[in-house]
Amino acid sequence: KQEVTQIPAALSVPEGENLVLNCSFTDSAIYNLQWFRQDPGKGLTSLLLIQSSQREQTSGRLNASLDKSSGRSTLYIAASQPGDSATYLCAVHEAAGNKLTFGGGTRVLVKP
Amino acid sequence: DVKVTQSSRYLVKRTGEKVFLECVQDMDHENMFWYRQDPGLGLRLIYFSYDVKMKEKGDIPEGYSVSREKKERFSLILESASTNQTSMYLCASSFGSYNEQFFGPGTRLTVL
């Protein structure tokens, strides 16, 4: 059974520092991996989708890398801002079955 | 932009009541999903649908049913609400299989 882990569960950084968020998964037979942002009490906002054949995907200050063979993805957020404070979740689409398996999330606080 | 809307942001119901949660998407997506999100347990898939009148059980379907009579609308039904169904409910949709999922704002349901 696929398990997705995000460590650490919480992270606090000063404004301007680069953020590095980790996601690991146990079964490398994935179709793609999606990163989301969630503000308190709100729904999920899709940030990036990275296909299993890709190594990287970029959108503005966000860059996601994927190493399928080692079961890892990293989300980099450059020059963090207080508005980046949120919980970040990763989720994998397994090759068998059209469903996402989510990690527990990393709660990020960017201090001004 | 994809828009997924949910009928209520907050809902309070009594034990034993029948509860309907509605989700509507405006992008002609084939796939629609219902998740619940609980502290410490993360997001878990309840049911999904890949076409009108089609449904598949997710990881935790017990105590729930769904209805999809029109492509844009997916309803989650709690036949007899119980206190352990107090949770945040999130709806999502996607175009085709294994594609990016887009989420609604969520419904926080409290069952007293």
Side-chain angles (χ1 to χ4, degrees):
Chain A
K1 184 189 169 195
Q2 178 78 264
E3 288 182 11
V4 182
T5 305
Q6 293 182 252
I7 295 172
L11 188 57
S12 179
V13 299
E15 182 176 2
E17 194 165 295
N18 295 335
L19 277 165
V20 181
L21 305 176
N22 300 306
C23 173
S24 61
F25 45 94
T26 54
D27 186 347
S28 62
I30 66 166
Y31 205 87
N32 57 43
L33 184 145
Q34 197 168 353
W35 280 96
F36 296 90
R37 170 191 170 128
Q38 185 176 31
D39 292 292
K42 302 282 177 68
L44 277 65
T45 300
S46 178
L47 297 174
L48 287 168
L49 178 98
I50 182 164
Q51 300 292 351
S52 63
S53 57
Q54 293 179 301
R55 287 284 196 166
E56 255 184 55
Q57 186 70 262
T58 298
S59 175
R61 291 186 296 116
L62 276 57
N63 175 277
S65 68
L66 176 64
D67 184 344
K68 204 174 84 154
S69 59
S70 67
R72 275 191 282 215
S73 177
T74 303
L75 179 67
Y76 301 91
I77 303 177
S80 63
Q81 303 165 0
D84 294 328
S85 298
T87 297
Y88 292 82
L89 296 124
C90 69
V92 299
H93 247 136
E94 296 176 55
N98 180 23
K99 64 171 204 169
L100 285 173
T101 301
F102 283 84
T106 296
R107 190 170 69 251
V108 170
L109 176 64
V110 180
K111 294 181 285 189
Chain B
D1 270 1
V2 176
K3 191 140 188 212
V4 181
T5 57
Q6 295 184 229
S7 50
S8 309
R9 290 299 314 277
Y10 300 94
L11 210 49
V12 179
K13 296 291 181 182
R14 297 254 175 227
T15 303
E17 278 193 78
K18 190 167 185 174
V19 182
F20 292 87
L21 302 182
E22 302 278 321
C23 175
V24 177
Q25 49 91 9
D26 67 354
M27 282 302 289
D28 205 34
H29 284 174
E30 291 94 346
N31 296 322
M32 296 188 75
F33 307 83
W34 275 107
Y35 296 87
R36 65 177 282 178
Q37 184 177 31
D38 301 286
L41 295 174
L43 273 105
R44 294 176 291 168
L45 181 66
I46 305 171
Y47 266 99
F48 69 98
S49 168
Y50 51 89
D51 203 350
V52 175
K53 296 193 187 294
M54 308 301 284
K55 62 185 179 186
E56 292 266 350
K57 291 181 181 179
D59 298 320
I60 50 163
E62 298 79 18
Y64 302 94
S65 62
V66 289
S67 171
R68 191 156 179 213
E69 296 296 318
K70 293 186 177 181
K71 193 174 185 181
E72 68 270 18
R73 189 180 297 269
F74 192 34
S75 302
L76 180 69
I77 303 154
L78 287 65
E79 294 289 342
S80 177
S82 63
T83 55
N84 63 13
Q85 292 177 311
T86 291
S87 186
M88 171 72 121
Y89 289 88
L90 292 159
C91 174
S93 72
S94 71
F95 179 71
S97 298
Y98 305 109
N99 285 328
E100 193 174 4
Q101 288 192 19
F102 297 91
F103 280 75
T107 296
R108 171 123 1 238
L109 172 67
T110 302
V111 182
L112 301 173

